[in-house]
Every structure is written in C-alpha cells, then in structure tokens.
Amino acid sequence: MSGRVTRRFRIVALAALLAAGTVVTTAGAPSAGADGPGAGAPWVVSLGDSAISGEAGRWAGNTNDSPSRVDALGSTAYWDTPTGEAIPGCHRSKAAQAHIGGGVLSANLACSGARTYTRVGDTFKPGIDFYSDSSGRQGQALALQEYATTHNVKAVALLIGANNYGFGAIVERCVTNWLTSPSWWKNYCSDDADMTSRFTATRQAQETANVRDAFLRVRQAMTNAGYAAAQYTIVAQTYWTPIPRSSGFRYAETGWTRQSVGGCGVWNRDANWAHDVVVAAMNGSVRNGAAQAALPNLVVLDLQNALDGRRLCETGVGLLEEAGIASWQSAGAVDRTEWVSQIRTATTIFGPYQLQEGQPRQLLGPAGDAQLPAAGLQQRRRSRRQLPARRQRRQRLPRAADGAVLESVRKRRRRSALSTTEMLENAIASPAMSGFSRPAAASGIAATL
C-alpha cells in the first residue's frame, strides 16, 4: 500500500520539478568542492504547515480496531533527529512529501500548525520569515537560507495559508455543531458570523498578501544564500480537499455513524461550504499570492483534486474493516481505503494516536492549535451564555426524538454515545482539515482542510 501511494505522489512531484527545469539525480559521493549554490548534489526543500510537514504520516489508512493495522512508521515517525523532534510538535514525518525518493535528496523544514509568520508561546511555530531569538530558534525562511548556503537546493516547495484562516477552529466548530444539534434543528457552522467573517473579500485579500509575502521571503532567503533565480524553482502548492461534497459521503448525516464510525461528523451543508468556500479561499490565496509575487522561477502545483476518490468518508473506499482489509500492507489496501485521517480526540488519551494527528489540522494540513472538546456539550453551554436570547431559543432541542433514544437526544449527543469508537475528532478536510494522514508514507501528504 505504502509503495503504490508513494509512487503516485512521487510522479506528481518529479513531474513538477522536471517541468521547472530542475535537475534530478541520484545521490552520489560529495562533490570535490564545498556544496552550495549550483555546486554538489541537488536537494529539494519543503516549507509550510502540517499539510506538507507530513502530519499524521505515521498512519496508513483508518481503522476503529487495533491501531497496529495502520501503523506504518511506528513511534519515531516524526523524529527528525536521532533522539526526537528538533522542534516539538512540528511533526516532520519520515513520510513527508519532500522525501519523494528516487534518489532525490530532501530536507523538510515545514512545521505542523505553521502560519506565514512565526508564533512564540506555549509552543513554537516557525513561520515563513526570518525570525531568530537567543534560544537559536528560527523562522523557516531563515532556516532555508542557512541550509541553502551549504546545500545545492534546486527546488523549494511551499504550502502555507490555511492556518492563517484558522482552519482548525473552523473544523472544530463544524464538528461540534454537528455533535450538539439534532437533524431536525441543525446548527450549521457555515452561517456563524465568526466563521463567515474569515472569508470576506477583505480578509481573503489580506491573507493573499500574506501568502505573497511568504513567497517573496523564500526568494529573499535564496538570494541571501547566494542563488540566482535561474538556479532553483519555487513550487507553490495548493491544498487538497480532504472530504467530499455532501453527495459523496458514505454515511448519512443523521444518526451517529458519520462520526462514531467514520470520524467525519459534519452537516451536509457545512461539508459543501468547506469544499466550495473554505478550501477555495485557501487555494485562491495560494494561486493569487503566487501571481502577485510575479517571480520568474515560481510554478504552481495544483493538488486540490489529488485525493478525489480517497477522501475521508467518501463512497468507494472505507475503513480497513469495511473494505475487508487485514492491514495497510495487504494487497489492494491502497485502492480500497481512505487517504485522510479521521477526526480524533478520545482515542488520543492513552495513545498511540496523538491529539495533534487527529485534529482538523490533519485533514488539510493547517490550522493552529484548536482542539475539539472532549465533551462538546460543555463548550456549547459556555458559548450559549454569550448568545442573544433569540439565538438561544433557536438552539434548544425539541422534546421528540429523531429515531434515536430520547434521553440521548435530550443530552445533546453526549460523549457516551460515541464510545463505540472513542472518536470525536481530526484535516473535516487541517485544515484543520491540518495534516492528512494518507496511507502509509504517501509522500507525506498527510495533514490539518
């Protein structure tokens, strides 16, 4: 499974590099002189967020049975040093798409949760900038500059922007609204003011400018390292859609199975909104930001539809147990299972799944540090205190049941109702649908929609 998936994405990546005029050779002995701009074996470097860092790359497909059935890389999947992670939480997977193989040397400087700018707080998230502090921490642009000074970097792949829009928070809201409202009184995330405000024309123009500036900082980093534009290519990559439109789900939006089995709890209307507005805006910022940067050596690699037919909860594929597959290594597994991680929270308490892997960020690769509440009811109660009385009345549940046990409905899809799979999680599509966990080392395209 791993090999076949990886080869597909290798073909895409290699085609992009070759089309850009990048020389791809097998790794060989070091050059006689010092490696650097135009000298030595060629390297590919990746920058960006969880969608390109390889978040959730440990897992090859989805199952509600033993995690060992989909554990392709083991507990050291995100170690980028001999003893652990260079930056805790960046999750630079051994399956990251930069590591396309085929003799191509690669370096992964991306970080799960990254935005166009560096954030310093409880966790350090290097952005596409020249941040530097006394602790030796650096932004990704500065890290690239220093790396490119001593390596012959022929291509820099950049995927960024989803976390700027707050993809994780978007997915969290959509899943929570699905969990805490009945099918006869649906509470959509797509009409919440704090969600729609993220996609106004003004906001999209702002984030497009931020992405444009990220491309320009990559150019500056390479110029500072001694490169001419003709010596390397910048590959601007778009985000894939991690979930299908409403008509493509294999689980009904009513009942519990969409989340308790599939790990993709969201109302149909919100799924369409995520597909048509959220992902479209993020990719619009990438494409338009690239156009505004107007760099002669920049190309766009459009992967928006790359996972079609293999998305989370999509018809035609399934969990390992639904497809009758023993493990991710079984023959035919890659063609019959999903390439996007489920939304998880409860299953991360004792491991081996990590909360970071099962957040919205894994779906698409982005999005901040949002966490789906272990019990959505508590968050719902807190938020209702701040709602106008009219809105609170709208959200009250009717007394009748919708084909489900009245008590369960009255308690708003309480957590115990999901105990069969211990799921309440992860990328709707990580962006937040942040960090995709495509099967096996599917070249690291595993991440946060």
Side-chain angles (χ1 to χ4, degrees):
M1 174 175 181
S2 170
R4 294 182 64 182
V5 177
T6 302
R7 281 196 294 274
R8 293 185 185 184
F9 282 99
R10 282 177 183 165
I11 291 172
V12 172
L14 288 171
L17 296 178
L18 291 171
T22 300
V23 177
V24 180
T25 65
T26 57
S31 57
D35 284 3
W43 287 76
V44 174
V45 177
S46 60
L47 308 176
D49 54 36
S50 61
I52 198 168
S53 74
E55 180 68 81
R58 173 178 178 176
W59 309 104
N62 293 315
T63 181
N64 292 329
D65 293 334
S66 171
S68 63
R69 298 178 65 185
V70 292
D71 193 352
L73 297 180
S75 60
T76 63
Y78 307 116
W79 287 19
D80 53 349
T81 77
T83 57
E85 291 189 84
I87 302 176
C90 275
H91 279 196
R92 294 166 174 166
S93 170
K94 293 180 175 67
Q97 68 181 74
H99 309 316
I100 57 179
V104 179
L105 300 176
S106 55
N108 182 8
L109 302 180
C111 185
S112 181
R115 301 182 187 180
T116 54
Y117 53 89
T118 292
R119 290 178 294 151
V120 179
D122 293 337
T123 58
F124 176 68
K125 296 297 181 183
I128 314 302
D129 57 22
F130 294 91
Y131 176 88
S132 179
D133 63 25
S134 59
S135 300
R137 299 182 300 187
Q138 299 178 327
Q140 293 183 46
L142 181 56
L144 170 65
Q145 176 181 314
E146 294 191 356
Y147 192 86
T149 300
T150 57
H151 297 80
N152 185 18
V153 175
K154 302 299 291 184
V156 180
L158 173 60
L159 179 54
I160 199 71
N163 290 318
N164 283 53
Y165 281 102
F167 190 74
I170 295 168
V171 177
E172 176 184 343
R173 175 69 61 79
C174 293
V175 175
T176 298
N177 283 7
W178 182 86
L179 288 167
T180 58
S181 63
S183 60
W184 63 84
W185 205 270
K186 298 170 184 173
N187 184 20
Y188 298 113
C189 63
S190 53
D191 61 7
D192 289 347
D194 59 333
M195 296 289 106
T196 59
S197 64
R198 299 168 189 262
F199 302 101
T200 63
T202 299
R203 177 65 180 274
Q204 291 188 53
Q206 174 188 338
E207 300 306 347
T208 296
N210 288 334
V211 173
R212 174 203 63 203
D213 291 346
F215 290 128
L216 294 176
R217 287 191 288 271
V218 169
R219 187 270 307 273
Q220 187 61 52
M222 295 298 284
T223 299
N224 293 349
Y227 288 76
Q231 291 181 293
Y232 71 100
T233 299
I234 299 174
V235 180
Q237 184 174 307
T238 64
Y239 295 94
W240 39 86
T241 54
I243 58 170
R245 292 179 55 78
S246 59
S247 60
F249 278 81
R250 64 178 183 272
Y251 308 108
E253 66 173 349
T254 57
W256 292 103
T257 55
R258 183 169 285 193
Q259 178 61 35
S260 65
V261 176
C264 56
V266 61
W267 295 116
N268 284 342
R269 193 172 100 177
D270 289 340
N272 292 339
W273 174 73
H275 192 283
D276 299 340
V277 175
V278 179
V279 177
M282 295 189 304
N283 285 341
S285 286
V286 172
R287 297 186 189 98
N288 295 329
Q292 291 177 19
L295 300 175
N297 59 336
L298 187 153
V299 297
V300 175
L301 177 59
D302 192 347
L303 295 181
Q304 181 165 326
N305 300 315
L307 299 186
D308 288 9
R310 302 288 187 279
R311 293 169 294 187
L312 182 62
C313 293
E314 190 165 13
T315 56
V317 290
L319 308 178
L320 263 66
E321 53 269 32
E322 291 175 329
I325 300 293
S327 81
W328 68 273
Q329 295 174 303
S330 299
V334 68
D335 295 318
R336 298 162 60 189
T337 58
E338 303 162 320
W339 294 4
V340 180
S341 288
Q342 295 166 306
I343 299 172
R344 299 179 178 281
T345 56
T347 49
T348 66
I349 295 175
F350 301 107
Y353 296 115
Q354 297 183 46
L355 180 62
Q356 183 172 328
E357 295 172 321
Q359 285 183 314
R361 138 180 349 155
Q362 282 17 84
L363 289 177
L364 229 196
D369 304 311
Q371 296 180 7
L372 293 180
L377 178 57
Q378 279 64 38
Q379 175 168 317
R380 179 62 168 276
R381 284 172 174 167
R382 288 196 300 272
S383 63
R384 286 191 64 195
R385 297 192 191 107
Q386 304 171 13
L387 292 175
R390 181 179 180 184
R391 181 68 183 277
Q392 289 190 27
R393 286 196 298 273
R394 173 192 170 198
Q395 294 187 2
R396 289 185 186 130
L397 295 179
R399 295 180 180 277
D402 180 21
V405 180
L406 176 61
E407 178 68 6
S408 177
V409 174
R410 186 179 67 80
K411 297 202 175 193
R412 298 182 188 276
R413 302 194 178 211
R414 59 192 177 188
R415 182 179 176 185
S416 61
L418 303 179
S419 60
T420 53
T421 61
E422 304 174 286
M423 240 175 246
L424 204 177
E425 322 120 318
N426 190 348
I428 302 186
S430 222
M433 283 184 176
S434 133
F436 246 94
S437 124
R438 67 17 222 109
S443 71
I445 294 195
T448 323
L449 201 139

